[in-house]
Amino acid sequence: MCVFHGCLFPTIYSIPNPPPSSGHQCNSLPLAGRAGQLASFKANTLAAAWTGVQRQEVVCKRLDDNSIVQNNYCDPDSKPPENQRACNTEPCPPEWFIGDWLECSKTCDGGMRTRAVLCIRKIGPSEEETLDYSGCLTHRPIEKEPCNNQSCPPQWVALDWSECTPKCGPGFKHRIVLCKSSDLSKTFPAAQCPEESKPPVRIRCSLGRCPPPRWVTGDWGQCSAQCGLGQQMRTVQCLSYTGQASGDCPETVRPPSMQQCESKCDSTPISNTEECKDVNKVAYCPLVLKFKFCSRAYFRQMCCKTCQGH
């Protein structure tokens, strides 16, 4: 048998027993009157590229039953040399090298795993070369295959956060969290997803300090006098940035809610008493008379009927 770098080729050789040497006897063997040497080939490995070596092993055997005994029972001078010759000189055929499978690309819902597949040929004891796939004549092993085809369990999917509300000061952001299938095509009841891994649906936020409350004024109203000096009013409110009423506005900067006004008087004289009347039907005409303001042109014109005769 010849062995060369992993390729095994059965080879059997035999040679006849050599003739016994004349006049020599192995008298040291009591059960065998004489002993001789029998040469036979025995396989061994060698280091030269492409070839192995067959070496001839010489053993000492009993002549009566052909069993092997220790060499000291035979005459050392008659021992033939241990010859050798080359064997299996043809190159070893290429073969597939198959690596281990790598980890699956997905843990569920079907992934792929791969491995290295090479066509190699040995060219020495520790040397080999890589060939094209066509160099190996046997069927090429697969390099990838499906794995982990089981369905993934439902999972939480969080949508985008809303804007922070309110627009200033401490507030909150909100978002929607759904229990979805792994391919996001189906929505399941929340109970089918693990509650302990559910993402938060609300977080604290702040857009900075809110502006302080401020005084807000309305438009001025109509002048109270249709002729001459009068007064006009407007609303003044302390409002927060959201428009809610507040009491935190400083009084020192409160705008006035009333101011003096003047209306242009009609210079056409009153022709007769029938046209003399109180222009403004307001409560202060009796006060004009009481406090003797009828002597003043403005009040006399506004309260003509009341001031008539005074």
Side-chain angles (χ1 to χ4, degrees), residues 1-3 8-15 39-43 54-55 85 87-88:
M1 180 79 66
C2 175
V3 179
L8 205 58
F9 300 90
T11 309
I12 301 177
Y13 300 90
S14 63
I15 60 173
S40 64
F41 287 114
K42 183 177 181 181
Q54 284 182 315
R55 286 193 175 91
R85 65 183 179 184
C87 66
N88 292 343

Side-chain angles (χ1 to χ4, degrees), residues 130-150:
T130 303
L131 307 177
D132 291 334
Y133 291 142
S134 58
C136 288
L137 301 180
T138 58
H139 181 70
R140 177 182 170 187
I142 59 173
E143 294 179 89
K144 62 180 180 179
E145 67 177 7
C147 54
N148 293 341
N149 292 321
Q150 72 278 10

Side-chain angles (χ1 to χ4, degrees), residues 218-241:
D219 297 331
W220 287 108
Q222 187 177 3
C223 190
S224 61
Q226 292 187 359
C227 177
L229 297 176
Q231 293 177 332
Q232 59 184 168
M233 309 289 289
R234 68 178 178 183
T235 58
V236 177
Q237 293 177 291
C238 178
L239 300 178
S240 68
Y241 77 99

Side-chain angles (χ1 to χ4, degrees), residues 22-37:
S22 57
H24 177 74
Q25 308 245 343
C26 287
N27 294 327
S28 56
L29 287 177
L31 297 180
R34 51 198 176 93
Q37 288 82 20

